[in-house]
Amino acid sequence: MAITYPLTFPTTNAPADIVWGGESVVSSTSSPFTGEMEVQQFDGQIWHGTVNYPPLERADAEEIVSFLLELDGMYGTFLLSPPGAGAPRGAAGGTPLVAGGSQTGTDLDTDGWPVDTEVLLKGDFLQIGTGLAARLYKSLIDVTSDGSGDATLTLWPRIKASSSPADNAPIVTSAAAGLFRLAANRNDWTVDTALHYGISFAFRSEP
């Protein structure tokens, strides 16, 4: 049976914790004489983190081990929903859509929200696209729709031209997920004499 990406993240056993963070691509140089810094901001912004599991019996661990091997190092992709992405703190609702194609940067015009409603609060996650096109974003501001149900979102990470959503692409606010891959080609796990498995792995988002 052929492996088809993106894989579904294993859900039989919940991780003990997930280290979650964001990384911005910014270069800097410092003068050896004055200590003054020059910084340059680039478009790259990615999610990254580490999944840590509690000690697992072999019957439970093998599902996760097989998942890691199916990814074939950094080649394969999977969908992951971060902690706190189950439901937004804002009211959300409606049928939110991207309003206009080829949008890039931090701001995204949208429509289809309930009218005159605080639809998202600062920190809410949302998903745009599905499958290999799924991207995960976080709202950086409180968002209130206007009388037509339109709203401009300010998001992290920036929307890149290579993954810019199409006009009328759906916006998912419940159980939002994004496309990720392993951060390294090698992944190790421990097995003690009682056949208890210790598993952790690092990941990064697909820009």
Side-chain angles (χ1 to χ4, degrees), residues 112-192:
W113 301 96
V115 300
D116 297 322
T117 301
E118 193 171 48
V119 293
L120 295 174
L121 293 182
K122 184 183 297 186
D124 283 343
F125 284 103
L126 56 95
Q127 172 188 339
I128 302 176
T130 59
L132 292 171
R135 297 294 184 273
L136 181 72
Y137 300 95
K138 181 183 278 286
S139 177
L140 297 181
I141 61 172
D142 296 338
V143 179
T144 299
S145 61
D146 64 17
S148 299
D150 300 339
T152 298
L153 315 183
T154 299
L155 304 175
W156 199 99
R158 297 183 192 92
I159 300 171
K160 299 184 67 176
S162 59
S163 55
S164 177
D167 183 33
N168 290 326
I171 298 171
V172 178
T173 58
S174 180
L179 187 72
F180 294 84
R181 64 178 73 242
L182 296 177
N185 286 318
R186 174 173 172 168
N187 283 278
D188 301 321
W189 53 90
T190 62
V191 186
D192 64 19

Coordinates of all heavy atoms in Angstrom, one line a residue, residues 112-192:
G112 N -17.6 36.8 5.0 CA -18.4 35.6 5.4 C -18.6 35.4 6.9 O -19.2 34.4 7.3
W113 N -18.1 36.4 7.7 CA -18.2 36.3 9.2 C -19.6 36.8 9.6 O -20.3 37.5 8.8 CB -17.2 37.2 9.8 CG -15.8 36.8 9.6 CD1 -14.9 37.4 8.6 CD2 -15.0 35.8 10.2 NE1 -13.7 36.8 8.7 CE2 -13.7 35.9 9.6 CE3 -15.2 34.9 11.2 CZ2 -12.6 35.0 10.0 CZ3 -14.2 34.1 11.6 CH2 -12.9 34.1 11.0
P114 N -20.1 36.5 10.8 CA -21.3 37.1 11.3 C -21.0 38.6 11.4 O -19.9 39.1 11.6 CB -21.4 36.5 12.7 CG -20.7 35.3 12.7 CD -19.5 35.5 11.7
V115 N -22.1 39.4 11.2 CA -21.9 40.9 11.1 C -21.7 41.5 12.5 O -22.2 41.0 13.5 CB -23.1 41.6 10.4 CG1 -23.3 41.0 9.0 CG2 -24.4 41.4 11.2
D116 N -20.8 42.5 12.5 CA -20.6 43.3 13.7 C -20.3 42.4 15.0 O -20.9 42.5 16.0 CB -21.8 44.2 14.0 CG -22.0 45.2 12.9 OD1 -21.0 45.7 12.4 OD2 -23.2 45.5 12.6
T117 N -19.4 41.5 14.8 CA -19.1 40.5 15.8 C -17.6 40.4 16.1 O -16.8 40.5 15.1 CB -19.6 39.1 15.4 OG1 -21.0 39.2 15.2 CG2 -19.3 38.1 16.5
E118 N -17.2 40.3 17.3 CA -15.8 40.0 17.6 C -15.5 38.6 17.3 O -15.6 37.7 18.2 CB -15.5 40.4 19.1 CG -14.0 40.5 19.4 CD -13.7 41.0 20.8 OE1 -14.3 40.5 21.8 OE2 -12.9 41.9 20.9
V119 N -15.0 38.3 16.1 CA -15.0 36.9 15.6 C -13.7 36.2 16.1 O -13.7 35.0 16.2 CB -15.1 36.9 14.1 CG1 -16.4 37.3 13.6 CG2 -14.0 37.8 13.4
L120 N -12.6 37.0 16.3 CA -11.4 36.4 16.7 C -10.8 37.2 17.8 O -10.9 38.5 17.8 CB -10.3 36.3 15.6 CG -10.7 35.3 14.4 CD1 -9.6 35.5 13.3 CD2 -10.8 33.9 14.9
L121 N -10.1 36.6 18.8 CA -9.3 37.3 19.8 C -7.9 37.1 19.5 O -7.5 36.1 18.9 CB -9.7 36.9 21.2 CG -11.2 37.2 21.7 CD1 -11.4 36.8 23.1 CD2 -11.4 38.7 21.5
K122 N -7.1 38.0 20.0 CA -5.6 37.9 19.9 C -5.1 36.5 20.4 O -5.4 36.1 21.5 CB -4.9 39.0 20.6 CG -3.4 39.1 20.5 CD -2.9 40.2 21.4 CE -3.3 41.5 21.0 NZ -2.7 42.6 21.7
G123 N -4.4 35.8 19.5 CA -3.9 34.5 19.9 C -4.7 33.4 19.3 O -4.2 32.2 19.4
D124 N -5.9 33.6 18.7 CA -6.6 32.5 18.2 C -5.9 31.9 17.0 O -5.4 32.7 16.1 CB -8.0 33.0 17.8 CG -9.0 33.2 18.9 OD1 -8.7 32.6 20.0 OD2 -10.0 33.8 18.8
F125 N -6.0 30.6 16.8 CA -5.4 29.9 15.7 C -6.5 29.8 14.6 O -7.7 29.8 14.9 CB -5.0 28.5 16.0 CG -3.7 28.4 16.8 CD1 -3.7 28.2 18.1 CD2 -2.5 28.6 16.1 CE1 -2.5 28.1 18.8 CE2 -1.3 28.5 16.8 CZ -1.3 28.2 18.2
L126 N -6.0 29.8 13.3 CA -6.9 29.5 12.2 C -6.2 28.8 11.1 O -4.9 28.9 11.0 CB -7.6 30.8 11.7 CG -6.7 31.9 11.2 CD1 -6.4 31.8 9.7 CD2 -7.3 33.2 11.6
Q127 N -6.9 28.0 10.3 CA -6.3 27.2 9.3 C -6.9 27.7 7.9 O -8.1 27.9 7.8 CB -6.7 25.7 9.5 CG -6.3 24.8 8.3 CD -6.8 23.4 8.5 OE1 -7.2 23.0 9.6 NE2 -7.0 22.7 7.4
I128 N -6.0 27.8 7.0 CA -6.4 28.2 5.6 C -5.9 27.1 4.7 O -4.7 26.8 4.7 CB -5.9 29.5 5.2 CG1 -6.4 30.6 6.1 CG2 -6.3 29.9 3.7 CD1 -5.8 32.0 5.8
G129 N -6.8 26.5 3.9 CA -6.4 25.4 3.0 C -6.6 24.1 3.6 O -6.7 24.0 4.8
T130 N -6.5 23.0 2.8 CA -6.6 21.7 3.3 C -5.5 20.8 2.7 O -4.9 21.2 1.7 CB -8.0 21.1 2.9 OG1 -8.2 21.1 1.5 CG2 -9.1 21.9 3.5
G131 N -5.3 19.6 3.3 CA -4.3 18.7 2.7 C -2.9 19.3 2.6 O -2.5 20.0 3.6
L132 N -2.3 19.2 1.5 CA -0.9 19.7 1.3 C -0.9 21.2 1.3 O 0.1 21.9 1.4 CB -0.3 19.2 0.0 CG 0.0 17.7 0.0 CD1 0.4 17.2 -1.4 CD2 1.1 17.4 1.0
A133 N -2.1 21.9 1.1 CA -2.2 23.3 1.1 C -2.5 23.9 2.5 O -2.6 25.1 2.6 CB -3.2 23.8 0.1
A134 N -2.7 23.1 3.5 CA -3.1 23.5 4.8 C -2.0 24.3 5.5 O -0.8 23.9 5.5 CB -3.5 22.4 5.7
R135 N -2.3 25.5 5.9 CA -1.3 26.4 6.6 C -2.0 26.9 7.9 O -3.2 27.2 7.9 CB -0.9 27.6 5.8 CG -0.1 27.2 4.5 CD 1.2 26.5 4.8 NE 2.0 26.2 3.6 CZ 1.9 25.1 2.9 NH1 1.0 24.2 3.2 NH2 2.6 24.9 1.8
L136 N -1.2 27.0 9.0 CA -1.7 27.4 10.3 C -1.2 28.8 10.6 O 0.0 29.1 10.4 CB -1.1 26.4 11.3 CG -1.5 26.6 12.8 CD1 -3.0 26.3 13.0 CD2 -0.7 25.9 13.8
Y137 N -2.1 29.6 11.1 CA -1.8 31.0 11.4 C -2.4 31.3 12.8 O -3.3 30.6 13.3 CB -2.5 31.9 10.4 CG -1.9 31.7 9.0 CD1 -2.7 30.9 8.1 CD2 -0.8 32.3 8.5 CE1 -2.2 30.7 6.8 CE2 -0.3 32.1 7.3 CZ -1.0 31.3 6.4 OH -0.5 31.1 5.1
K138 N -1.9 32.4 13.4 CA -2.3 32.9 14.6 C -2.7 34.3 14.4 O -2.0 35.1 13.9 CB -1.3 32.7 15.7 CG -1.7 33.2 17.1 CD -0.6 33.1 18.1 CE -0.5 31.7 18.7 NZ -1.6 31.4 19.6
S139 N -3.9 34.7 15.0 CA -4.3 36.1 14.9 C -3.5 36.9 15.9 O -3.4 36.6 17.1 CB -5.8 36.3 15.2 OG -6.2 37.6 15.2
L140 N -2.9 38.1 15.4 CA -2.1 38.9 16.3 C -3.0 40.1 16.9 O -2.4 40.8 17.7 CB -1.0 39.5 15.5 CG 0.1 38.5 15.0 CD1 1.2 39.2 14.2 CD2 0.6 37.7 16.1
I141 N -4.2 40.1 16.5 CA -5.1 41.2 17.0 C -6.5 40.7 17.3 O -6.9 39.6 16.8 CB -5.2 42.4 16.0 CG1 -5.8 41.8 14.7 CG2 -3.9 43.0 15.7 CD1 -6.2 42.9 13.6
D142 N -7.2 41.4 18.1 CA -8.7 41.2 18.2 C -9.3 41.6 16.9 O -9.0 42.7 16.4 CB -9.3 41.9 19.4 CG -8.7 41.5 20.7 OD1 -8.2 40.4 20.8 OD2 -8.8 42.3 21.7
V143 N -10.2 40.8 16.4 CA -10.8 41.1 15.1 C -12.3 41.2 15.2 O -13.0 40.3 15.7 CB -10.5 40.0 14.0 CG1 -11.1 40.3 12.7 CG2 -9.0 39.8 13.9
T144 N -12.9 42.3 14.8 CA -14.3 42.5 14.8 C -14.8 42.7 13.3 O -14.3 43.6 12.6 CB -14.8 43.8 15.6 OG1 -14.3 43.5 17.0 CG2 -16.3 44.0 15.6
S145 N -15.8 42.0 12.9 CA -16.3 42.1 11.5 C -17.1 43.4 11.4 O -17.6 43.9 12.4 CB -17.1 40.9 11.2 OG -18.3 40.8 12.1
D146 N -17.3 43.8 10.2 CA -18.1 45.0 9.9 C -19.6 44.7 9.6 O -20.0 43.5 9.8 CB -17.5 45.9 8.8 CG -17.5 45.2 7.5 OD1 -18.2 44.2 7.3 OD2 -16.8 45.7 6.6
G147 N -20.3 45.6 9.2 CA -21.8 45.4 9.0 C -22.0 44.5 7.8 O -23.2 44.1 7.6
S148 N -21.0 44.2 7.0 CA -21.2 43.2 5.9 C -20.6 41.9 6.1 O -20.6 41.0 5.3 CB -20.6 43.8 4.6 OG -21.2 45.1 4.3
G149 N -20.0 41.7 7.4 CA -19.4 40.4 7.7 C -17.9 40.3 7.1 O -17.4 39.2 7.1
D150 N -17.4 41.5 6.8 CA -16.0 41.5 6.3 C -15.0 41.8 7.4 O -15.4 42.5 8.4 CB -15.8 42.6 5.2 CG -16.7 42.4 4.0 OD1 -17.1 41.2 3.8 OD2 -16.9 43.4 3.3
A151 N -13.8 41.4 7.3 CA -12.8 41.6 8.4 C -11.4 41.5 7.8 O -11.2 40.6 7.0 CB -13.0 40.7 9.6
T152 N -10.5 42.3 8.2 CA -9.1 42.2 7.8 C -8.3 41.6 9.0 O -8.3 42.2 10.1 CB -8.5 43.6 7.5 OG1 -9.2 44.1 6.3 CG2 -7.0 43.4 7.1
L153 N -7.7 40.5 8.8 CA -6.9 39.8 9.8 C -5.5 40.2 9.8 O -4.9 40.5 8.7 CB -7.0 38.3 9.6 CG -8.4 37.7 9.3 CD1 -8.3 36.1 9.3 CD2 -9.4 38.1 10.4
T154 N -4.8 40.2 10.9 CA -3.4 40.4 11.0 C -2.8 39.1 11.5 O -3.1 38.7 12.7 CB -3.0 41.6 11.8 OG1 -3.5 42.8 11.3 CG2 -1.5 41.7 11.9
L155 N -1.9 38.4 10.7 CA -1.6 37.0 11.0 C -0.1 36.8 11.2 O 0.7 37.6 10.7 CB -2.1 36.1 9.9 CG -3.5 36.2 9.5 CD1 -3.8 35.3 8.3 CD2 -4.4 35.7 10.7
W156 N 0.2 35.8 11.9 CA 1.6 35.2 12.0 C 1.5 33.7 11.7 O 0.6 33.1 12.3 CB 2.2 35.4 13.4 CG 3.7 35.3 13.4 CD1 4.6 36.3 13.4 CD2 4.5 34.1 13.4 NE1 5.9 35.8 13.4 CE2 5.9 34.4 13.4 CE3 4.2 32.7 13.4 CZ2 6.9 33.5 13.4 CZ3 5.2 31.8 13.4 CH2 6.5 32.2 13.4
P157 N 2.3 33.1 10.9 CA 3.4 33.8 10.1 C 2.8 34.6 8.9 O 1.7 34.5 8.6 CB 4.2 32.6 9.6 CG 3.2 31.5 9.5 CD 2.2 31.7 10.7
R158 N 3.7 35.3 8.2 CA 3.3 36.0 7.1 C 2.9 35.1 6.0 O 3.4 34.0 5.9 CB 4.5 36.9 6.5 CG 5.0 37.9 7.4 CD 6.1 38.7 6.7 NE 6.8 39.6 7.7 CZ 7.9 39.2 8.4 NH1 8.4 38.0 8.2 NH2 8.4 40.1 9.2
I159 N 2.0 35.5 5.2 CA 1.5 34.7 4.0 C 2.5 34.9 2.9 O 2.8 36.1 2.5 CB 0.1 35.1 3.6 CG1 -0.9 34.9 4.7 CG2 -0.3 34.4 2.3 CD1 -2.3 35.5 4.4
K160 N 3.1 33.8 2.4 CA 4.1 33.9 1.4 C 3.4 33.7 0.0 O 2.4 33.1 -0.1 CB 5.2 32.9 1.5 CG 6.0 33.0 2.8 CD 7.1 32.0 2.9 CE 8.1 32.3 1.9 NZ 9.3 31.4 2.0
A161 N 4.0 34.3 -1.0 CA 3.5 34.1 -2.4 C 3.3 32.7 -2.8 O 2.4 32.3 -3.5 CB 4.4 34.9 -3.4
S162 N 4.3 31.8 -2.4 CA 4.2 30.4 -2.8 C 3.0 29.7 -2.1 O 2.7 28.6 -2.6 CB 5.5 29.7 -2.4 OG 5.8 29.8 -1.0
S163 N 2.5 30.2 -1.0 CA 1.4 29.5 -0.4 C 0.2 30.4 -0.2 O -0.7 30.2 0.6 CB 1.8 28.9 1.0 OG 2.4 30.0 1.8
S164 N 0.1 31.5 -1.0 CA -1.0 32.4 -0.9 C -2.3 31.7 -1.3 O -2.4 31.1 -2.3 CB -0.8 33.6 -1.9 OG -1.9 34.5 -1.9
P165 N -3.3 31.9 -0.4 CA -4.6 31.2 -0.6 C -5.4 31.8 -1.8 O -5.3 33.0 -2.1 CB -5.3 31.3 0.7 CG -4.8 32.6 1.3 CD -3.4 32.6 0.9
A166 N -6.2 30.9 -2.4 CA -7.0 31.4 -3.5 C -8.2 32.2 -3.0 O -8.6 32.1 -1.8 CB -7.5 30.2 -4.3
D167 N -8.8 33.0 -3.8 CA -10.0 33.7 -3.5 C -11.1 32.7 -3.1 O -11.2 31.6 -3.7 CB -10.5 34.5 -4.7 CG -11.8 35.3 -4.4 OD1 -11.9 35.7 -3.3 OD2 -12.6 35.5 -5.4
N168 N -11.8 33.0 -2.0 CA -12.9 32.1 -1.5 C -12.4 30.8 -0.8 O -13.1 29.9 -0.6 CB -13.9 31.8 -2.5 CG -14.8 33.0 -2.9 OD1 -15.1 33.8 -2.0 ND2 -15.2 33.1 -4.1
A169 N -11.1 30.8 -0.5 CA -10.6 29.6 0.2 C -11.2 29.6 1.6 O -11.3 30.7 2.2 CB -9.0 29.7 0.3
P170 N -11.6 28.5 2.1 CA -12.3 28.5 3.4 C -11.3 28.7 4.6 O -10.1 28.3 4.5 CB -12.9 27.0 3.5 CG -12.1 26.2 2.6 CD -11.6 27.2 1.5
I171 N -11.8 29.3 5.6 CA -11.0 29.6 6.8 C -11.6 28.7 8.0 O -12.8 28.8 8.3 CB -11.1 31.0 7.2 CG1 -10.4 31.9 6.1 CG2 -10.3 31.3 8.5 CD1 -10.6 33.4 6.3
V172 N -10.7 27.9 8.5 CA -11.1 26.9 9.6 C -10.7 27.5 11.0 O -9.5 27.8 11.2 CB -10.5 25.5 9.4 CG1 -10.9 24.6 10.5 CG2 -10.9 25.0 8.0
T173 N -11.7 27.7 11.9 CA -11.4 28.2 13.2 C -11.5 27.2 14.3 O -11.1 27.5 15.4 CB -12.3 29.4 13.5 OG1 -13.7 29.0 13.4 CG2 -12.1 30.5 12.5
S174 N -12.0 26.0 14.0 CA -12.1 25.0 15.0 C -11.2 23.8 14.7 O -11.3 23.3 13.5 CB -13.6 24.5 15.1 OG -13.7 23.5 16.1
A175 N -10.4 23.3 15.6 CA -9.4 22.3 15.3 C -8.5 22.6 14.2 O -8.3 21.8 13.3 CB -10.1 20.9 15.1
A176 N -8.1 23.9 14.2 CA -7.2 24.4 13.1 C -5.9 23.6 13.1 O -5.3 23.2 14.1 CB -6.9 25.8 13.3
A177 N -5.4 23.2 11.9 CA -4.2 22.5 11.7 C -3.3 23.0 10.6 O -3.8 23.8 9.8 CB -4.5 21.0 11.5
G178 N -2.1 22.6 10.6 CA -1.2 23.1 9.5 C -0.4 21.9 9.0 O -0.4 20.8 9.6
L179 N 0.4 22.2 8.0 CA 1.2 21.2 7.3 C 2.6 21.2 7.9 O 3.3 22.3 8.0 CB 1.3 21.4 5.8 CG 2.0 20.3 5.0 CD1 1.1 19.0 5.0 CD2 2.3 20.8 3.6
F180 N 3.1 20.1 8.4 CA 4.4 20.0 9.1 C 5.3 18.9 8.5 O 4.7 18.0 7.9 CB 4.3 19.9 10.6 CG 3.6 21.1 11.2 CD1 2.2 21.2 11.3 CD2 4.4 22.1 11.8 CE1 1.6 22.3 11.8 CE2 3.8 23.2 12.4 CZ 2.4 23.3 12.4
R181 N 6.6 18.9 8.8 CA 7.5 17.8 8.5 C 8.5 17.7 9.6 O 8.6 18.7 10.5 CB 8.1 18.0 7.2 CG 9.1 19.2 7.0 CD 9.7 19.2 5.6 NE 8.8 19.6 4.6 CZ 8.4 18.8 3.5 NH1 8.9 17.6 3.4 NH2 7.6 19.3 2.6
L182 N 9.2 16.6 9.7 CA 10.2 16.4 10.8 C 11.3 17.4 10.6 O 11.6 17.8 9.4 CB 10.7 15.0 10.7 CG 9.7 13.9 11.1 CD1 10.4 12.5 10.9 CD2 9.1 14.1 12.5
A183 N 11.9 17.8 11.6 CA 13.0 18.8 11.6 C 14.4 18.1 11.3 O 15.4 18.8 11.1 CB 13.1 19.5 12.9
A184 N 14.4 16.8 11.3 CA 15.7 16.1 11.0 C 15.4 14.8 10.3 O 14.3 14.2 10.4 CB 16.4 15.8 12.3
N185 N 16.4 14.2 9.6 CA 16.2 12.9 8.9 C 16.4 11.8 9.9 O 15.9 10.7 9.5 CB 17.2 12.8 7.8 CG 16.8 13.7 6.6 OD1 15.7 13.8 6.2 ND2 17.8 14.4 6.0
R186 N 17.0 12.0 11.0 CA 17.2 10.9 12.0 C 16.4 11.1 13.2 O 16.3 12.2 13.7 CB 18.7 10.9 12.4 CG 19.0 9.9 13.5 CD 20.5 9.8 13.8 NE 20.7 8.9 15.0 CZ 21.9 8.5 15.3 NH1 23.0 8.7 14.5 NH2 22.0 7.8 16.4
N187 N 15.7 10.1 13.6 CA 14.9 10.1 14.8 C 15.2 8.9 15.6 O 15.1 7.7 15.1 CB 13.4 10.2 14.5 CG 13.0 11.6 14.1 OD1 12.7 12.5 14.9 ND2 12.9 11.8 12.8
D188 N 15.5 9.0 16.9 CA 15.8 7.9 17.8 C 14.7 7.8 18.9 O 14.1 8.8 19.2 CB 17.1 8.1 18.5 CG 18.3 8.3 17.4 OD1 18.2 7.5 16.4 OD2 19.1 9.1 17.7
W189 N 14.5 6.6 19.4 CA 13.7 6.4 20.6 C 14.4 5.4 21.5 O 15.2 4.6 21.1 CB 12.3 5.9 20.1 CG 12.3 4.7 19.2 CD1 12.3 3.4 19.6 CD2 12.4 4.7 17.8 NE1 12.4 2.5 18.5 CE2 12.4 3.3 17.4 CE3 12.4 5.7 16.8 CZ2 12.4 3.0 16.1 CZ3 12.5 5.3 15.5 CH2 12.5 4.0 15.1
T190 N 14.0 5.5 22.7 CA 14.7 4.6 23.7 C 13.7 3.4 24.1 O 12.5 3.6 24.0 CB 15.0 5.3 25.0 OG1 13.8 5.8 25.6 CG2 16.0 6.5 24.7
V191 N 14.3 2.3 24.4 CA 13.5 1.1 24.9 C 14.3 0.5 26.1 O 15.5 0.2 26.0 CB 13.4 0.0 23.8 CG1 12.5 -1.1 24.3 CG2 12.9 0.6 22.5
D192 N 13.6 0.5 27.3 CA 14.3 0.0 28.4 C 14.1 -1.5 28.6 O 13.4 -2.1 27.7 CB 13.9 0.7 29.7 CG 12.4 0.6 30.1 OD1 11.8 -0.4 29.6 OD2 11.9 1.4 30.8

